[in-house]
Amino acid sequence: MILVDTHLLLWSALRSPRLSARARTIIDDPDIEVFFSVASIWEATIKRMLGRKDFADDPRALRQGLLANNWRELDVTGVHALAVADLPPLHKDPFDRILLAQAKVEGMTLLTSDKLVAKYPGKVRKV
């Protein structure tokens, strides 16, 4: 089971050349359950509202497309929120921190392209 960080899921959904071949291979592997977090949809919504060009696509369409392509949605729970406190203070981005906490709590590997996120202990894989 993998949890895909926000940028990777955007790049995957848009078939962006920024998505590495290694990430594409993992995401497309039919034997791997691929999850996206509600936090990523929340992040995409907020950043689109702020006018960020890298978040220009409609988050509603993004979510529907992910679900239509058999991605599994992971809700944010209180347990996930509390697990953020157990993370070392390597990174301040609240969206990345909740994704890290979710992956840890759920026993998933977090797939990321962010070198700072990849420095966290546990099942984090930079692609």
Side-chain angles (χ1 to χ4, degrees), residues 5 16 22 24 27 49 54-55 59 70-71 74 78-79 88-89 94:
D5 82 359
S16 170
R22 194 165 70 178
R24 170 63 53 211
I27 291 168
M49 290 170 48
D54 52 339
F55 289 88
N70 298 317
W71 288 54
L74 179 62
V79 173

Side-chain angles (χ1 to χ4, degrees), residues 69-118:
N69 284 288
N70 298 317
W71 288 54
R72 308 263 320 266
E73 186 173 55
L74 179 62
D75 291 333
V76 176
T77 69
V79 173
H80 297 146
L82 293 169
V84 169
D86 299 330
L87 297 172
L90 303 176
H91 194 37
K92 294 182 181 181
D93 184 298
F95 295 109
D96 288 334
R97 291 181 62 80
I98 195 68
L99 294 176
L100 286 156
Q102 285 184 294
K104 181 178 179 183
V105 168
E106 301 299 331
M108 297 177 172
T109 298
L110 179 63
L111 207 60
T112 186
S113 64
D114 188 315
K115 63 184 176 191
L116 190 54
V117 171

Side-chain angles (χ1 to χ4, degrees), residues 1 4 9 25 28 34 36-37 57-58 64 81 90 97-98 100 103 109-110 126-127:
M1 292 188 302
V4 179
L9 79 86
T25 299
D28 287 346
V34 182
F36 69 94
S37 174
D57 292 324
D58 180 6
Q64 289 303 333
L90 303 176
R97 291 181 62 80
I98 195 68
L100 286 156
T109 298
L110 179 63
K126 185 177 180 303
V127 290

